[in-house]
Amino acid sequence: MRTRATITLTTAILATLAACSSSSDDKADTPNSSPTTAAETPTPTPRAPDATELERVADTYVSLYFGGAGEGAYAFLSKRCRAKADPATYAATVDQAAKDYGPDHPATDVHATVSGAMGRVSYKVKGLPKFDQQGQPWTVEGGAWKYDAC
């Protein structure tokens, strides 16, 4: 019975881990001290998140996940994944992962590829090779990378 519960929990954790991410790196523009007219004010062109940003976001997501920060990790989930994952259940899964494995499992060897608003990340989870990922899907939503492997 205990083995069955462990297998069920591990399956749930793997499904959740393979499920989601995001970043809230939106920064307000610093106001210009010199007066300008509307015609002279340049319109900032939004910068599409790149592979380097995706690698940083995936690393943050893994740290939050194994650190037991369910609410923080949930914020990295895509809309599609959030629709499938109840926040309380997800937080409980993340909390259990932290209890089972501890927080000292950062992502290593993180590599991302990006094509438009879609990205794929491969990484290792320090000390937990069963959680290593290859080609984990991420998507851009609201200008930020979101975990989309649900």
Side-chain angles (χ1 to χ4, degrees):
M1 183 68 166
R2 188 174 193 174
T3 302
R4 182 193 233 171
T6 302
I7 291 170
T8 302
L9 178 59
T10 301
T11 302
I13 289 172
L14 286 173
T16 303
L17 184 60
C20 313
S21 172
S22 162
S23 172
S24 57
D25 253 1
D26 296 337
K27 296 176 184 159
D29 289 338
T30 308
N32 189 342
S33 59
S34 62
T36 59
T37 64
E40 296 174 6
T41 304
T43 303
T45 303
R47 181 181 63 84
D50 60 11
T52 302
E53 176 69 7
L54 177 52
E55 290 169 358
R56 187 191 65 76
V57 169
D59 179 58
T60 300
Y61 174 75
V62 171
S63 293
L64 290 169
Y65 191 92
F66 287 106
E71 189 174 319
Y74 188 83
F76 281 83
L77 301 182
S78 67
K79 290 177 187 174
R80 187 175 72 84
C81 291
R82 285 192 305 260
K84 294 180 178 186
D86 171 68
T89 303
Y90 183 83
T93 301
V94 169
D95 186 52
Q96 190 61 49
K99 287 178 183 173
D100 290 348
Y101 302 107
D104 191 25
H105 300 288
T108 63
D109 299 323
V110 182
H111 301 285
T113 58
V114 172
S115 179
M118 302 299 294
R120 297 242 176 224
V121 182
S122 298
Y123 57 86
K124 295 179 181 180
V125 178
K126 181 181 176 188
L128 298 172
K130 67 182 178 182
F131 292 112
D132 292 354
Q133 297 294 314
Q134 290 295 317
Q136 184 181 67
W138 291 72
T139 188
V140 176
E141 292 179 357
W145 286 110
K146 301 289 183 177
Y147 180 83
D148 198 43
C150 49

